[in-house]
Structures are given as C-alpha cells and as structure tokens.
C-alpha cells in the first residue's frame, strides 16, 4: 500500500506518533508492554522522515534508535497539547477521586444515621451529583479553596 503524504502532512503524522509514544511512555518509561508494542511502528515512521522531506524532525541516537529531534519534541504546539492533556487528566482524576471518597463517606454515614429508612440515590446518580459540585467549585475557584490535612481526611 502506498499512501502519498505532503511534507506538511508527514510532519503532522510525526507529531501524532510523538504524542502517542509520549502518552505511552511518559510516566512508565520505554520498557513496558505498551511501549514495546508500538516501538517498531514508531521506528518505521521515523525512518521514513528523510524520504518525506522531514529529516530535520528526527535524529539518530548512538544506539541506532530514531527519536524525535528537538524541532519536533520541543515544538510549541506539541508542548501545548501535552500540557493541556496533563492539565485535563489532573482535573478529571481529582474530581473523580474526591467524588468517590465523598460518596463512600456518605454511604457509611447514611447507613449509620438512617438504616433502611429511605432508598438512597443510585451510586451513579449520587457520584454524578458530587462530581458536578466539584466541577462547579474548581471552575469557579481553581484550587483556591482546596485544603490538604496531613494525616486526616478533608
């Protein structure tokens, strides 16, 4: 199969490949099952960069592996995508984990205060309510009202 790319399109493909490999290796490194799964394809696509007119976006390391050159890896657009992704992950994880914590506390309190009296909302409904409360708070105040209690639960 032959797929013709312009130099601009190939550069965008290299950006996608770099972002994908970054997502797979950013926190766990390159020696993971996921990283090994994509390594050969990554190397193949980087290896075609010269032929596609994008040689300056790839560099060869001493071990023979190909890596994105700083021109690609440190590109402002690429960095912005990475930063936005990390920011989004942070907020989604914070909201989800705090909501899970609060729901567990509510369920224990409800069981102690009103055993068998009123049917509580489903876990999914209540979790959504709690998450919405956190989203509203964080969108309005960012982290200004977050307090960390060491050794306690806030």
């Amino acid at each position: 199969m032959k797929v013709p790319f312009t130099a601009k399109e190939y550069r965008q493909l290299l950006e996608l490949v770099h972002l994908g490999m970054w997502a797979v290796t950013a926190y766990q490194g390159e020696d993971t099952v996921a990283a090994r799964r994509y390594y050969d394809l990554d190397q193949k696509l980087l290896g075609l960069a010269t032929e596609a007119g994008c040689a300056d976006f790839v560099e060869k390391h001493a071990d023979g592996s190909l890596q994105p050159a700083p021109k690609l890896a440190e590109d402002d657009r690429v960095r912005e995508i990475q930063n936005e992704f990390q920011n989004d992950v942070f907020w989604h994880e914070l909201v989800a984990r705090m909501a899970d914590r609060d729901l567990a506390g509510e369920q224990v309190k409800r069981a102690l205060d009103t055993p068998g009296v009123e049917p509580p909302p489903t876990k999914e409904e209540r979790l959504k309510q709690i998450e919405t409360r956190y989203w509203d708070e964080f969108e309005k105040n960012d982290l200004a009202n977050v307090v960390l209690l060491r050794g306690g639960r806030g």
Side-chain angles (χ1 to χ4, degrees), residues 68-117:
K71 186 173 183 177
L72 173 60
E74 297 171 11
D75 179 81
D76 289 341
R77 289 175 298 208
V78 171
R79 289 288 171 103
E80 184 178 340
I81 291 168
Q82 291 169 324
N83 290 336
E84 286 177 9
F85 174 78
Q86 288 177 312
N87 188 57
D88 288 347
V89 167
F90 167 78
W91 287 111
H92 284 273
E93 281 295 312
L94 181 62
V95 165
R97 290 176 188 210
M98 290 179 74
D100 282 341
R101 179 205 60 193
D102 291 358
L103 178 62
E106 281 184 6
Q107 288 174 332
V108 168
K109 186 174 182 332
R110 181 184 297 273
L112 292 174
D113 292 348
T114 59
V117 172

Side-chain angles (χ1 to χ4, degrees), residues 1 12 50 62:
M1 166 172 79
Q12 290 174 324
T50 300

Side-chain angles (χ1 to χ4, degrees), residues 123-152:
K123 179 180 177 183
E124 291 77 19
E125 290 169 340
R126 187 61 188 132
L127 202 52
K128 184 67 178 163
Q129 291 171 347
I130 296 169
E131 287 177 356
T132 298
R133 189 178 75 225
Y134 278 121
W135 278 118
D136 291 344
E137 172 63 26
F138 292 142
E139 287 172 357
K140 182 177 178 187
N141 298 306
D142 204 70
L143 291 174
N145 295 330
V146 173
V147 177
L148 177 64
L149 301 176
R150 293 187 178 162

Side-chain angles (χ1 to χ4, degrees), residues 5 8-25 38 41-42 45-46 57 68 72-73 75 77-79 81-82:
F5 288 104
K8 180 182 177 183
E9 290 170 331
Y10 200 79
R11 179 199 154 120
Q12 290 174 324
L13 179 61
L14 289 176
E15 288 175 7
L16 281 171
V17 170
H18 172 62
L19 288 166
M21 288 303 288
W22 172 80
V24 170
T25 64
Y38 299 113
L41 180 58
D42 175 63
L45 290 168
L46 292 173
F57 294 107
L72 173 60
D75 179 81
R77 289 175 298 208
V78 171
R79 289 288 171 103
I81 291 168
Q82 291 169 324

Side-chain angles (χ1 to χ4, degrees), residues 27-38:
Y27 294 108
Q28 296 180 350
E30 295 178 1
D31 193 27
T32 64
V33 171
R36 287 190 299 273
R37 173 185 170 121
Y38 299 113

